[in-house]
Structure formats: C-alpha cells, structure tokens
Amino acid sequence: MKEVTLKQIAENLGISITTVSKALKDYPDVSKKTKALVKKEAKKLHYTPNVFAVNLRTKQSKTVGLIIPEVVHHFFSSVINGIIEQAEKKGYLVIILQSNESYKLEKKQIELLISKRVDGIMISLANSTVDISHLLEVKNLQIPLVMFDKISKLVDCSKVIIDDRQAAYLATKHLIDSGCKRIAHFRGALLPQNSIDRFLGYKKALEDHGIEYDSTLVYICEKVNYEEGREAAEQLLKDHNDVDGIFCITDLVAVGAIAVFNERGIKVPDDISIMGFSNWFVSSAITPSLSTVDQPGYEMGKTTFKMLFKEMKAKKKEEPFSAMTKVLDTAVIHRNSTR
Amino acid sequence: MKEVTLKQIAENLGISITTVSKALKDYPDVSKKTKALVKKEAKKLHYTPNVFAVNLRTKQSKTVGLIIPEVVHHFFSSVINGIIEQAEKKGYLVIILQSNESYKLEKKQIELLISKRVDGIMISLANSTVDISHLLEVKNLQIPLVMFDKISKLVDCSKVIIDDRQAAYLATKHLIDSGCKRIAHFRGALLPQNSIDRFLGYKKALEDHGIEYDSTLVYICEKVNYEEGREAAEQLLKDHNDVDGIFCITDLVAVGAIAVFNERGIKVPDDISIMGFSNWFVSSAITPSLSTVDQPGYEMGKTTFKMLFKEMKAKKKEEPFSAMTKVLDTAVIHRNSTR
DNA sequence: CTGAAAGCGCTTACAG
DNA sequence: CTGAAAGCGCTTACAG
C-alpha cells in the first residue's frame, strides 16, 4: 500500500502541492471551490499528513516527556492520569519514563528526551537527585519545563506542589486537637524536600502547642513502604510505651503501623491515634479507616500539564514567560484512626 | 543558540556532509583518520542528530504506543513498568494512552498512534470493545501489534496472556481442597474475556469435584472495585447463609468482601474462606492476609515489549513474521483467608 | 487565487 | 576513500 502524500492529491487534481497544502490547512487565500475539492480528495484517499515531515518543518513534535520516580505508586499513577488526559485534550502525546529514584537514570532520561526533541518536559525528582545540572541544561536549551511534587528550589521553572510543611502541621495539629500528648513521627529519608518539610511541619505544630519536641520519637522509613511502617511500629513499641499518636509520612507506612497494632491488640485510636498522608484509596478501606491528608494527585497532573502548555504556547509565540509556582490545596480527612 | 548540524561540522572541517554523516555512523568506507576528526568535532560542538530529519528519512520513530484501560491500577501500572523498562533498554520510548474502558476513546487513540507513525502498538482492550475494526486497520497498515491481558481472539496478532480459566480453576480447587462445599463467585462484567474465562474456570472446578453449579451464587461486579466487593458480600449474606467460600475475580473485590465480614464478626477463614486474584501487594497486608492467584504484571509488560520488538525487527528486515501467543505462568498463593 | 522554489536536516545509491 | 546529488514530505515566503 503506497502512502498517500500531498503530491498524490495534487497530481490527481492537476493542481500544485502548495495549493493542496494550503487548502487542507484552510489558508484564507485559497478559493472555497478548491478547498472543497482538495478536502474531498484527501478524504477519499484517507490522507494523513506525514508527521515526520511536519515535525521537521515546524520543529515541533506535539509530544511531551514525563519523568517520574515510580509508576507503580498510587499517587504518581494518579498524576500520570491527570497529565495524559489533559495532554490528549490539547493534542499532545506523553512519553513516560521512570527514574526508579535514581539520579543517574534521571539524567540519562532527560538527555533522551532532549535528543527526541520533545516540546516540553515534566518531572518529579528522584530522591537521590542533588546535582541539578541536567535540569539547568533543559532550561538552557529553552525547553519548557515544569516540576511537580518533588522539586528543587534551585531550578527556576514552573512548579506545582502542595505545601507539605503546612499540611503536615495541620495533620499533627489534628492529633493534638484530638487529645494526643506524645506524638511520634514516622518520616521519610533525610534528603527529599517533602520528607524534610513534613518533618518540619510536625515539629512546628508540637512547638506551637506547647509539646516538647523529642528526637527519639522520630523514626526514619527510607523506602516509605508498608514493611517499614511495620518495623517502625514494632521498634516504637519497644522504645516507648507512652506514645499516644503517630503522624506517618505516607498512608502506606500508616497502614503497616496499624497492622502491627491490630495484631498486638493495641486499640486504634483508643490506645494510639494514627495519621497518614496522601489519601490513598485503600486508606478508607482498612480497619480502622485511616485519617489522612488528601494530596490531590489527579489535579496535580492536570495542573502540571496546563502550566507546561502555557509555557509552550508562549514559546511558540515568542512571548516572554515567567515561571510560576502553583500550590495545590490539601485537606485533613478525619476517619476512624484518630479520635 | 544555533543548532549544530552535519553541515556545520562539514564546514568547520572543510569536508562534505556525506562524509560527516558516514563517519559518525561508522561506515566502513571512511578512513580512520577522518572518522576520528569528525567525531572529535561533533563532540566539541555537542552535536546531536535531528531526530525529526532522521525519522523522515528512515521512516521510523523509535517510539511505540501503549493503550491501557486504566493507569491507576496496580496490575496495569506493573505492566507499564515492565514495558517502559524493557523499551528503554532497546532504545525505544513509550507513549501511554488511557482508554478509560471506553471503546470510542480506544479507537480514537489507535488512530492517534497511527497518525503519529509509532513503530508499534501494544494494547489491552477496554471492556466495552466488541468491534475490532480499528485493530484490523493496524494490522492492515502493517504496524506491529501486540495485545496483552485483555485480548480479542478475533485479531491475528501476537498476544501475551495468562490462562485465566486454568488459574481460576486452580483457585477454586484450592477452596475445594481446603474443605469448602458451597462456593460463591464474585465475577466481573459479562463481556470481557478474562471475566468470562475466570467464571468458566470456577464452574469447571465445581463440576469436576462433584459440586453442583448454582447460578444464584454468582454475583456480578461491573466495575470490579472495592465498593462492589462490599456490596456483593452484603447481598450474599442476605441471600445465603450456607456459603463457606468465595472466589473473587480480583483482590480489590476480595478486600471489600473481607472488610464486610470483619465488620460483621464473621470469621475468615473459619466461617468463610476468601480467594482473590492478581496478588496485589496490599493483599498480603490486610487482616487476614488474602490467598490469591499471582498474576505477573511486570513480567507481562516485559514480555509484551519483547514480542513487539521481535516483530518490529522482522519488519525492518522484511523477514516474515508469524504471530505467537505467550501464556505466562500464574500461581496460587496460600495465605490466611483460606484454610 | 495559484504555484514555483527553497529549505527543514538527514541518509544513501552512485560516480569517481 | 570522498563527495555531488537526489529525496524523505511537508511548509511558507514570494512572485505573478
């Protein structure tokens, strides 16, 4: 089967390629009659433009890249969902790459996307990313760039985030308001900004409410998973018998902790209150259902693409564009793991 | 910043574009000296080929498309993970589209991928897909195509699946072997092949073991989610008081059912045994932990891309290629929700 | 309103 | 071993 090209249509109709091209794109300087004729013929032959040629001429691919630490992850897959849906609406396709939390992979993938000449890049940083030269390179090449969730403040680009510190503050305050006096924190690794911010929000809430901060009540969950939630809970039971509340960096960790308490006959929330983070859909399904902070993944994805789209549009029109940071709302959700 | 092109390098070195191109691609008919010179200059200028031009010339994009019913879904996100990892290894990028279980969207997305001239397409069908003309169109255009998990037997292309019927048979047999005499089935919608196959496996296992099939014990969960698992369990409690085992089409449904039994003080597995399907990581975290069938998502993704790659390679070499169906192994996992 | 021509940046068959 | 030339299929500034 021979590919249908503009040339083909032009020959069939006995007119020039130029006119065919213009007619199909509704240029105002082509007669209605010609347009109709061309369109009819194009339809008849099932003509579709060769995007490779269009890309080469227009220097655009209508394709954007997305780098994400982990695909198999409820929050991130919600973000992906928001992004691809919004992108499709605007006629863009999304190439998805997974950094596996590895700086080296992330850097390689940025280079891959650059070499593929995507029209824009969206990224949530790997935990191990400290050096940001690969991101500066993107800026340097004038490729529109939006960072979301796990960002670096050192890169001057648009960002979509939540206020982790504030959200953690309110989560901790919720524990305090419900009567907890001795509150532990299961935190994430030391490096990632959101792990730091949630820790700081926790600490600040204690201090603002007259509860002394005790560093022995802070447990680190490097990988932020279920198993670590269990381990931290078990360690906590060994170390302290007076803790009456825990703020966990993530629902998954909280679910692990609750499992341990359930097994040991420790009553949640009567003996100990548990607060999660992210509002993973499973958190409403466990027993007791988990109080948590709603982190809007789908909306974050949507907003991220929208901001990228704005920047791409500005670039095309050669209009100036200045980076903006959008902070999405979170909300404390009170369920049955807190009083 | 001006783009670096072959022309640029050629001018700097005072040689022809042809020679530069050949040197960079290690054609055997260029002298070592010239190659070294060209490569050095290319490196110095940070030359990267313009993929748009390469695509146009080679008629290949080194990009493949993936259409999936739902991104936010543990099994499918595992598949995505397997696919993009394997693709990246082979130098391919993956464009991901979500059909939302909608036939109309799926069809549109197929057309989108065709118009983007991806080198190959991988798809898991939407539940609502009956008409397969869009897939035949793909075959017709000679675009390599692999279907996985939710497939149509009517399309002659490579497929990666599990033996749903057999897996369901063994899951049901596991319930029978552990002493269950009256076994219900929470099935999926009527249309999707895997829903049908799991149902048939369930039925066959009953029959093979002298248990009469009773259609009133089969409940339909259209959307196959947690809520429906709860609803079906509640309905079951109203309808029948003698059921001692349930085989659920999916872990998520099983988790919903277990939640209801836990709340009502009905003991799992003493009063009733529950069997899930898919081995979602949460299923080992709930109480009691869920017996299930391991459905290898990551491996399915890997295999799917590998098969697509083979087909793309054959096409490039103009070698004949005949479609194959690969059936992946599943395994019954015995945990605490069955005896 | 129509079309000839240049050009996007590469690859490759062919000539020397 | 090197290079001139054609061509992939489109877009668009320019001339008429």
Side-chain angles (χ1 to χ4, degrees), chain B residues 21-250:
Chain B
S21 173
K22 284 177 176 171
L24 288 175
K25 305 183 74 198
D26 263 330
Y27 271 49
D29 63 348
V30 177
S31 73
K32 281 208 176 112
K33 208 176 114 198
T34 309
K35 276 185 191 170
L37 225 57
V38 169
K39 285 180 182 171
K40 197 177 138 203
E41 186 71 12
K43 193 157 203 174
K44 190 178 129 203
L45 301 179
H46 298 111
Y47 169 76
T48 42
N50 182 322
V51 273
F52 297 158
V54 175
N55 289 348
L56 181 58
R57 277 298 319 230
T58 61
K59 296 180 184 302
Q60 273 186 68
S61 58
K62 286 275 189 178
T63 303
V64 294
L66 168 63
I67 299 178
I68 214 155
E70 259 187 289
V71 170
V72 186
H73 185 296
H74 185 259
F75 174 70
F76 284 132
S77 60
S78 300
V79 175
I80 293 179
N81 190 11
I83 288 179
I84 62 181
E85 222 174 272
Q86 195 60 32
E88 206 180 331
K89 256 186 213 159
K90 300 286 188 179
Y92 280 79
L93 257 25
V94 183
I95 288 170
I96 300 180
L97 261 13
Q98 172 171 271
S99 68
N100 271 324
E101 299 285 7
S102 148
Y103 163 67
K104 234 175 104 185
L105 245 185
E106 178 181 299
K107 189 178 160 81
K108 222 180 99 191
Q109 289 170 338
I110 285 275
E111 278 153 18
L112 202 58
L113 290 177
I114 291 175
S115 79
K116 274 281 175 172
R117 304 193 182 220
V118 292
D119 296 344
I121 295 178
M122 293 160 287
I123 186 170
S124 186
L125 296 183
N127 283 339
S128 55
T129 296
V130 185
D131 181 7
I132 54 160
S133 57
H134 55 312
L135 301 168
L136 297 179
E137 169 78 2
V138 172
K139 286 307 296 171
N140 201 21
L141 291 170
Q142 323 244 39
I143 300 170
L145 173 69
V146 180
M147 300 179 65
F148 62 92
D149 195 50
K150 304 208 288 181
I151 62 153
S152 162
K153 289 176 180 164
L154 303 175
V155 184
D156 171 39
C157 69
S158 287
K159 288 159 196 144
V160 184
I161 50 174
I162 57 169
D163 187 338
D164 278 292
R165 199 183 296 203
Q166 170 73 357
Y169 182 96
L170 293 175
T172 309
K173 182 169 180 300
H174 171 74
L175 287 168
I176 297 168
D177 289 348
S178 71
C180 297
K181 303 264 181 255
R182 190 131 166 88
I183 301 172
H185 178 35
F186 292 179
R187 64 166 289 168
L190 292 176
L191 220 56
Q193 194 62 46
N194 61 5
S195 170
I196 295 171
D197 285 337
R198 289 181 201 174
F199 165 70
L200 291 175
Y202 154 79
K203 200 171 159 199
K204 183 82 169 20
L206 297 184
E207 286 161 357
D208 283 3
H209 294 80
I211 300 181
E212 205 181 334
Y213 165 67
D214 176 352
S215 66
T216 67
L217 293 182
V218 175
Y219 292 78
I220 296 184
C221 300
E222 283 289 343
K223 294 179 194 157
V224 191
N225 60 20
Y226 173 79
E227 241 344 289
E228 287 185 330
R230 291 190 61 101
E231 287 163 16
E234 273 159 10
Q235 194 56 47
L236 178 78
L237 289 176
K238 278 184 205 150
D239 299 345
H240 302 276
N241 58 10
D242 56 349
V243 166
D244 56 7
I246 310 176
F247 166 48
C248 300
I249 182 163
T250 269

Side-chain angles (χ1 to χ4, degrees), chain A residues 5-6 21 27 47 50 57:
Chain A
T5 63
L6 291 184
S21 173
Y27 271 48
Y47 169 76
N50 183 320
R57 275 300 316 229

Side-chain angles (χ1 to χ4, degrees), chain A residues 186 226-227 229-231 233-234 237 246 248 251-268 272 274 286-288 290 337, chain B residues 282 284-289:
Chain A
F186 291 178
Y226 173 80
E227 237 349 282
R230 292 190 61 102
E231 285 164 17
E234 272 160 9
L237 289 175
I246 309 176
C248 300
D251 285 354
L252 196 52
V253 169
V255 170
I258 287 182
V260 169
F261 296 135
N262 281 346
E263 288 164 19
R264 306 282 182 99
I266 296 169
K267 296 245 176 307
V268 177
I272 191 163
I274 313 278
I286 59 166
T287 313
L290 182 67
S337 68
Chain B
V282 171
S284 65
I286 58 166
T287 313
S289 59

